[in-house]
Amino acid sequence: MTKYGAVATLAVLCASQAVMPQTGSGQEINLNQSLVLNTQQQQTLAVQAMRGSVEAATKLFLFYGFVALNPTEEHRWVVVGAENGDPVAQYNLYKDLVNSDDDLDKWRAEFWLRKSAAAGDSRAKSELENLEKVQHAK
């Protein structure tokens, strides 16, 4: 699991419903089948995301974050989603970078927070207000 705040709720929902016994058979079924992507879908979505599709980047982000469990690819697609203008991806990228040990990452985190807030993400707006209060208190 990653530290992305905007996906935390989805993660809880997915985790709580991911595998449940099937009635009568005792076999487990995956209720998150919609997040699973085959190789062809991954390739098609990758091209679409690189051409600007927010939806494609989001699908890849969710696949790598919750199905393939590949943090490197998950990060790649949250960056692409943020660059493509998705306020949720921008907020998620902020959450990813803000706790970095690298000061440059922290500066970039604030950049993505401001972009997300300007695009209307309510969590980003709230977080930005808190950040600005702390900065003004210094």
Side-chain angles (χ1 to χ4, degrees), residues 30-68:
N30 183 350
L31 297 180
N32 296 318
Q33 193 61 35
S34 65
L35 298 179
V36 175
L37 302 173
N38 64 37
T39 303
Q40 180 61 46
Q41 290 170 317
Q42 291 169 49
Q43 292 170 350
T44 299
L45 289 169
V47 170
Q48 291 172 352
M50 290 303 191
R51 289 182 172 162
S53 171
V54 168
E55 183 181 345
T58 300
K59 286 180 180 182
L60 289 163
F61 165 73
L62 292 172
F63 170 74
Y64 286 109
F66 298 107
V67 177

